[in-house]
Amino acid sequence: MAEPYKRSRTLRRVKVKLASRTTVHYKQRKPKLGTCGVTGQTLKGVPRELPNEIKKLSKTERRPERPYGGVLSSKAMRSVFKEKARKE
Amino acid sequence: MIEIGRLCLKIAGRDAGKKCVIVDVLDSTFVLIDGETRRRKCNILHVEPLKNKVELKKNASHEDVKKVFEGLGLKTRETKPKQKTEKPVKKKKVSEKKKDVKKKTGKKKETKVESTLEDKAASAKKEDKTASKKTSEQVKK
């Protein structure tokens, strides 16, 4: 019987062709795409990688270089600042 | 609302959330802004006008804007001019081993040249001597 971690679907399976046979490698699944906290749409400019891969990127490659970058979409951010301007 | 001297809040891009003032109205869509943001051309849609207005000339310099902002208790964005630096010249690194090899080879060549010259001179002398001996013998005969 295979090990318990191979019986569940937490890890994704990758078929690898070797010289003699094809085997299955078990790899960690990528995290979900980032979404806007207000509108719920997928964030652009945010890489979908495992934490160890994101660690290798520079700070500017991890999220957009604007306030609320990587948290809110640009539309949502604009509406936040518009409200702020109109309240002043 | 969009006029020279109008205080605005930038709502798009990396300067979003920063206050600026309209310095020039370029056309129906673009304005020139300065202040907490960098001095730049900007779309009207990317700027939200505020209630306040300040007195500014058309195309006012950054220093004038700075004075106005100091009066309002705001800071302007200052960019430092780039300092000129000379390009570093790369020096070829030669390892000590290679240096030693070069020295040795150089000496050898010199010695070889000297030796060859000396040999030539000696051989020439010998030839002269043998020739003179032969001539003396012939004379004796």
Side-chain angles (χ1 to χ4, degrees):
Chain A
M1 195 77 177
E3 294 96 322
Y5 80 93
K6 284 179 181 173
R7 274 183 265 161
S8 70
R9 290 277 156 178
T10 46
L11 298 178
R12 74 191 176 94
R13 283 125 214 262
V14 184
K15 281 180 184 176
V16 183
K17 274 188 182 179
L18 303 176
S20 57
R21 66 210 153 85
T22 56
T23 55
V24 177
H25 284 190
Y26 295 84
K27 291 198 170 179
Q28 213 176 341
R29 286 178 196 276
K30 280 186 184 179
K32 280 180 190 174
L33 282 165
T35 52
C36 173
V38 176
T39 57
Q41 67 187 101
T42 56
L43 294 176
K44 280 166 186 174
V46 182
R48 189 195 175 190
E49 290 293 335
L50 290 167
N52 65 338
E53 288 297 321
I54 283 180
K55 224 178 185 181
K56 292 170 193 170
L57 301 174
S58 66
K59 211 170 183 183
T60 53
E61 285 168 337
R62 287 179 203 167
R63 77 282 185 282
E65 276 269 276
R66 59 166 182 261
Y68 300 106
V71 181
L72 297 181
S73 63
S74 64
K75 261 189 182 179
M77 183 212 65
R78 277 183 203 191
S79 62
V80 165
F81 283 122
K82 266 186 190 176
E83 271 184 31
K84 192 186 167 189
R86 285 169 191 179
K87 275 181 186 176
E88 271 193 13
Chain B
M1 284 293 269
I2 301 293
E3 55 205 335
I4 293 166
R6 172 69 62 188
L7 275 172
C8 298
L9 192 75
K10 190 99 194 318
I11 56 166
R14 57 180 176 175
D15 286 334
K18 288 176 181 173
K19 281 178 183 172
C20 59
V21 66
I22 294 172
V23 179
D24 193 6
V25 182
L26 302 172
D27 53 42
S28 56
T29 50
F30 290 105
V31 287
L32 185 73
I33 58 165
D34 199 357
E36 286 182 341
T37 64
R38 53 206 83 219
R39 189 185 177 94
R40 60 178 294 170
K41 183 183 164 185
C42 175
N43 196 316
I44 294 167
L45 299 173
H46 300 166
V47 150
E48 188 68 17
L50 299 171
K51 287 174 190 172
N52 302 344
K53 199 190 163 189
V54 286
E55 281 189 14
L56 264 182
K57 286 178 186 175
K58 191 183 176 183
N59 262 328
S61 65
H62 179 69
E63 287 174 2
D64 294 337
V65 174
K66 195 180 172 183
K67 278 178 190 172
V68 169
F69 266 58
E70 277 174 0
L72 294 168
L74 299 168
K75 278 184 181 178
T76 52
R77 183 193 156 83
E78 297 301 324
T79 50
K80 286 177 189 174
K82 278 184 181 178
Q83 287 181 345
K84 281 186 179 179
T85 51
E86 287 183 7
K87 273 189 174 181
V89 182
K90 280 186 179 179
K91 285 181 181 178
K92 283 185 179 179
K93 282 183 180 178
V94 184
S95 61
E96 288 182 7
K97 283 181 182 178
K98 281 184 179 178
K99 274 182 184 176
D100 294 339
V101 171
K102 275 187 179 177
K103 277 180 185 176
K104 280 176 186 176
T105 52
K107 275 182 182 177
K108 272 183 183 177
K109 276 181 184 176
E110 283 172 10
T111 50
K112 268 186 181 178
V113 170
E114 284 171 8
S115 63
T116 51
L117 286 171
E118 282 171 3
D119 292 339
K120 275 182 182 177
S123 61
K125 274 182 183 179
K126 276 181 184 178
E127 280 176 6
D128 289 339
K129 277 181 182 179
T130 50
S132 61
K133 273 182 183 179
K134 278 179 183 176
T135 49
S136 61
E137 281 173 1
Q138 281 174 359
V139 170
K140 278 179 185 177
K141 280 179 183 177

